[in-house]
Amino acid sequence: MTNTNNRNPYITGRSIHEPEKFFGREELFEFIRSNLNNNEKIILLYGQRRIGKSSVLKQVPHQIDLQEFVFVSCDFQEHSISSLGDILYSLAKEIAGKLSVNSDIVILYSQEEFNNNPDLFSDNFLPQIYQQLGNKNLLLLLDEFDVVSSVDQISDDRNRFFSYLHSLINREEKLFIITVLGRFKDDLQNLVSLFRNAPTEQFNLLDKKNTKKLITEPAKGMLDYQDDAIEEIWKLSSGHPCLIQYICFNLFGYLRSKQRSTVTCEDVKSIVEPTLESARGALDSLWDGLCTHEKLVFSGVAEAQKIALKKNQSVPKDPLMQLKNCGVIQTEELIQAVDQLTNKDYLYLDKEKEVRVKIEFIRRWLEKSKPLRQQIFTSLQVLEEIRKEEIDQIFTEARELYKSGEIHKEIECYEKILKLNPNHFTTLLVLAEIYFEVKNFEKALELHDRRYQIDCIRNLDCTRNKVGLLLALENYGEYLIKQGKFSQAKKQFEAVLEIEPDRKSAKDKLREIEAIIEQQQRDMKPENNKQQLQINSVILLISVGIVAIIGSIFGNIIYQSSTSCPQGKQKLNDECVTNVTALPIINDPIQGNISSGDRTLFFSIPNSYRDQGIEAFKQGNYTQAIKLFQQAITANRSDPEVRIYYNNAIARQRGNPFTLAVVVPGENGRDRAQEILRGVAQSQDQFNVNGGRDGRSLEIVIANDGDNEKQAEQIAQYLVDTSVLGVIGHGKSWTTQAALPIYKKAGMPIISPTSSANNLSGNNFFRTTPSDAGFGKKLAKCTNDSRLNTAVIVYNPKEIYSNSLREEFEKNFKGQIISKIDLRDPILNIEQELKNKDSLSQNLQAVILLPNVDHTATALDIAKVNINNKLGLKLLGGDALYNQKTLDEGGNGVEDLVLAVPWFREAPQAKVFSQTAYKLWEKDISWRTATSYDAAQAFMNSLSAQPSRETILQKLPQTNLSAKLTSGNNLEFKKGERQNEAVLVKVESGKFKYLEQCSP
């Protein structure tokens, strides 16, 4: 490089004014010259964003030598919402300024005058301009001409800019116009049809010759480009002038830093990544000019090329292939988008009919910044909006047919919706469940699979529809077994394991099927006589029975088959519930999981009054919503969601409510969610009935994190960006842990009624349940007091709650831990673990059951082995086992089981609150209801006349509520921890009983 102080000669971020720095476009200038000579009054130019349209317009006076024209430029970028009068005033100022007219000759009117009478421009202003121009014509160069298209929506014809301009051109002999459109002419049919006789020309990419000029000429004498470097820039840019400028701009800086002047191919490759970053604004502008369907196709083709390059394969000929692989079905809009992108020079169709991104530099940017799954996620709502009004009507009709039990007509409605819009994803799940109900398993699986793909794209860990897909596969497999189609059944369970490799229920079924198939193959051998066949059948039955028994004792079968439910219902949370065709239409993946009364988060609980109340609430008719939610409460007194919505409607009607949020697991853990909500609803109900505070009532926002860490983060981010003052939740330690950093950063106070993990802490974090340290100490003390000196711990080392409870027990247990059993072990043999010689030699006395919720079934199997084998081991455990399921499924095996729990309704201090709650809910409440009530009470005690998150965080550490104001214990916090011990309960005669203390 001969002079390191030379300024970078390449131009980025602005149009090119200087003639000496502009290269190429000779054919385009010839097109303009020829049409002006032919007396064409208006010329339309269009093309990609950032392809140099404005630069060409600025070069017209320099490149076209036509003495009979005077050129005046005007940029319409600032006039997207201007009135006709405003635009004409601006245009008049540009003309007068450009021509330096004498104000005595040309009278300039005010902006107000042009707005009152736009015809002043044509009738008074232009004639004076023509007089000064003499024999010359006025040529207006209008940049971003289409920006003012919004003005064309004004109803008065006289105020429609394009119509006004069209009439002006037709009657003004001395007026000529060249316009540059920021969009393609196909996107502006109304404008093009108005000027349908005008010559039009598209800005194409530069050819190789002009590309070389644009690369080498600006840096002549400063940089020496080798041929392979020029070729590499050509491959990257395909002649896009803006991208060439960015690449060369970065190259110039790179070579200057290296004190070199020769540009090699390797130099070009080395600056691609930083250039992608520096050109981001230009590329974003290009992207913003595309419609949603074009964006989807563009990212899809880029994704296909990426995969093909990695696998060293050819690019798929179908440009929509990757979209189909992600569950998006081909529509007319997507097919048109392919053609539009091809016409716009974004896509290239080669001789082999392979569709590629035409510009390699843009392809790399798409791969990095606009991945396909991200674009599908952001486009879900738009995809569902196609023919929305028509589809909403059909959906309403289908819901009515559902209520009347006309299932086949209901199917016809949903199929009609998918025919109108194959990407109406809300319909997929509903229809999949109905097909499953009528035993059309193939169709059900097809729809479940599509919905599963879409939910994976939504980054919801696919949880909800993963469950639906797995259940569909397993139940279809069960159906095929009953039909004797074992090979087909085997494929279904193999498909289950591809999605969830550790799913024990599927593994057990596969073993059964393989045993049957193997026996059938043996039976087909000619040497097998009738007697041998009978013997084999007996052996087969015994083998299958053994497998079933082992699955019953040791299996951790989390999901249940819905075939055990009556027609029209399905298994959910171990209950038969109304089919989920009642699921409301929800488009947004986050807002669809948040509600103040505008949707239900528990679609498996039918309540027509609730549904009507929701509609009234959404319309802002709070008086009607209050009446309907009151009826919904009467219809189902144990449902806390409708009571919260009832109070929210009251709060909205009164105006200016305080707002808190409660985050629960929704349908994924419906029973637990309802228990938490009962406590919050009871506290809210009392607060509002007592007049609230300073005339303000309380509104509760319910959010569903689905027991999913990613979704918990998304919910937390949403809540911190709202007016919510504080959060009660989340339902699990791991979801609370995922969301806590977001709340900390935003200064959002959070009180968890159920998350007990020891590692949860912070100046904004409080809890109304004892921590795992408290539970562990209580269990260890009970074990010590019972003089149990040897123990086995059963836990999940990878789950935060289970593992921290194990740590605290070990710290405080005075005896010996003989072994620790991992509940996740796929080949866990419980009898062998409990009866091995090492354990017997150590005289094993106790088993400490510390499962997380997902492994409680295995823990109960241990209890059954203990009773069935008369091992006589004492069983103690954590609060994950404190539920009716433990009593129902544990049977005699859990008799005398001792648990450490946060709260117990029969404890002396809890009886008053539990009786009050029973009257409200007409059922016994759980510890989650009590601790959630206390969390809400703590928040309400921290409210003030003008509360903020900051004032609440100041008051929460000072909380000191008496037992009368809580669920039975005084409520104080020390470093966020509640100052109460855990409570002991013991199973006696199939019921939980209060245990004051442990004894030998």
Side-chain angles (χ1 to χ4, degrees), residues 737-937:
Q737 184 182 41
L740 191 54
I742 297 170
Y743 294 135
K744 281 183 180 179
K745 185 177 180 181
M748 173 78 85
I750 171 175
I751 305 178
S752 177
T754 56
S755 302
S756 57
N758 294 336
N759 64 347
L760 298 173
S761 64
N763 58 9
N764 70 318
F765 177 77
F766 304 80
R767 56 178 147 213
T768 50
T769 180
S771 68
D772 287 345
F775 289 119
K777 289 177 183 177
K778 195 74 172 181
L779 281 174
K781 185 178 185 304
C782 181
T783 310
N784 295 332
D785 291 346
S786 301
R787 297 180 185 174
L788 301 170
N789 300 316
T790 55
V792 167
I793 296 179
V794 182
Y795 77 118
N796 178 356
K798 295 298 184 180
E799 201 277 329
I800 182 173
Y801 156 80
S802 182
N803 194 42
S804 62
L805 197 53
R806 185 270 310 165
E807 284 181 351
E808 291 302 324
F809 179 87
E810 283 193 72
K811 285 180 187 177
N812 294 277
F813 180 52
K814 296 178 181 179
Q816 180 184 2
I817 305 297
I818 292 175
S819 68
K820 286 177 275 193
I821 299 175
D822 186 349
L823 285 165
R824 301 171 305 126
D825 187 352
I827 57 172
L828 175 61
N829 187 321
I830 298 168
E831 288 187 57
Q832 184 177 342
E833 289 284 348
L834 297 182
K835 294 175 65 177
N836 66 64
K837 59 183 180 180
D838 293 330
S839 296
L840 291 174
S841 66
Q842 297 289 344
N843 190 25
L844 178 63
Q845 294 175 315
V847 179
I848 313 302
L849 302 171
L850 308 177
N852 57 308
V853 171
D854 292 339
H855 289 88
T856 55
T858 308
L860 294 178
D861 286 342
I862 292 174
K864 294 173 186 176
V865 169
N866 180 46
I867 191 72
N868 292 337
N869 290 274
K870 300 179 181 180
L871 300 178
L873 302 173
K874 297 294 184 182
L875 304 180
L876 298 93
D879 59 282
L881 292 168
Y882 179 41
N883 51 54
Q884 189 62 38
K885 181 180 178 181
T886 295
L887 300 176
D888 293 342
E889 297 184 11
N892 293 335
V894 296
E895 191 71 12
D896 295 327
L897 168 67
V898 175
L899 302 177
V901 300
W903 179 91
F904 183 51
R905 60 178 174 269
E906 291 181 14
Q909 67 271 27
K911 285 186 177 179
V912 173
F913 176 77
S914 61
Q915 289 168 4
T916 302
Y918 185 90
K919 291 177 183 177
L920 182 67
W921 304 111
E922 295 186 347
K923 67 184 299 180
D924 288 327
I925 59 167
S926 74
W927 67 267
R928 293 184 183 89
T929 300
T931 54
S932 299
Y933 175 87
D934 291 348
Q937 289 293 92

Side-chain angles (χ1 to χ4, degrees), residues 501-549:
D502 295 329
R503 194 173 176 90
K504 191 173 185 304
S505 54
K507 289 181 178 179
D508 290 345
K509 280 296 176 184
L510 272 177
R511 283 195 291 267
E512 291 181 34
I513 294 168
E514 286 167 354
I516 293 170
I517 292 174
E518 184 179 346
Q519 183 60 44
Q520 286 179 336
Q521 291 173 344
R522 284 200 300 265
D523 291 346
M524 293 177 66
K525 294 180 180 180
E527 64 269 17
N528 289 337
N529 56 32
K530 184 176 180 180
Q531 182 180 7
Q532 185 64 42
L533 181 61
Q534 291 173 341
I535 293 171
N536 288 343
S537 298
V538 172
I539 292 172
L540 175 61
L541 289 172
I542 293 172
S543 299
V544 173
I546 290 170
V547 170
I549 291 169

Side-chain angles (χ1 to χ4, degrees), residues 472-482 489 492-493 513:
L473 287 164
E474 287 187 329
N475 288 318
Y476 185 28
E478 293 278 6
Y479 174 80
L480 291 168
I481 289 172
K482 292 177 182 178
Q492 310 312 313
F493 291 105
I513 294 168

Side-chain angles (χ1 to χ4, degrees), residues 591-609:
Q591 289 190 345
N593 285 302
I594 294 178
S595 176
S596 292
D598 47 352
R599 61 174 55 86
T600 179
L601 300 182
F602 301 93
F603 55 84
S604 63
I605 301 175
N607 192 325
S608 60
Y609 293 116

Side-chain angles (χ1 to χ4, degrees), residues 4 33 81 395 542 545 610 618 779 853:
T4 59
R33 184 184 297 105
I81 57 174
F395 205 100
I542 293 172
R610 175 201 62 199
K618 285 194 293 187
L779 281 174
V853 171

Side-chain angles (χ1 to χ4, degrees), residues 659-707:
T659 306
L660 297 173
V662 54
V663 187
V664 293
E667 286 284 4
N668 282 6
R670 192 192 74 189
D671 293 341
R672 288 182 288 115
Q674 295 263 304
E675 288 168 11
I676 294 169
L677 292 179
R678 286 189 188 104
V680 175
Q682 186 168 345
S683 179
Q684 179 197 26
D685 201 53
Q686 291 173 0
F687 183 86
N688 287 354
V689 166
N690 292 328
R693 176 160 297 168
D694 298 311
R696 299 173 67 181
S697 297
L698 177 65
E699 177 177 343
I700 298 292
V701 176
I702 307 175
N704 165 34
D705 67 10
D707 275 346

